[in-house]
Amino acid sequence: MNEFDILRSPLALVAHRQIHSDAGGATVFCVVLADGFIVECGSDGYSEKRASLLAEAVNGSGPEKFLMARKSA
């Protein structure tokens, strides 16, 4: 499975983004669901593990349940 197949799949993916401001910067970990919804998991020392556990839970319970944008007609 290549990167595009993973992005098109119903899997929940762990991602991170960098925030920069005058007060400093932070790395915020999040989970991206199949319909594009992003669940932020924070920027503390536990955020990466928290995001991984959330993605595992979503993927373990059937990620296709979260494909709200692709309802069949």
Side-chain angles (χ1 to χ4, degrees):
M1 188 180 289
N2 64 35
E3 289 87 9
F4 287 112
D5 292 336
I6 293 170
L7 289 173
R8 288 187 208 114
S9 76
L11 293 174
L13 306 173
V14 175
H16 71 276
R17 62 188 182 98
Q18 302 291 323
I19 298 174
H20 302 285
S21 70
D22 294 337
T27 301
V28 178
F29 285 89
C30 55
V31 175
V32 181
L33 301 178
D35 64 353
F37 190 79
I38 297 174
V39 180
E40 288 192 356
C41 295
S43 61
D44 60 5
Y46 299 106
S47 60
E48 184 174 9
K49 183 66 174 175
R50 189 180 300 123
S52 295
L53 290 172
L54 178 58
E56 287 177 24
V58 169
N59 292 333
S61 68
E64 62 278 351
K65 294 178 185 176
F66 296 92
L67 284 174
M68 295 175 207
R70 299 182 193 166
K71 291 181 182 177
S72 58

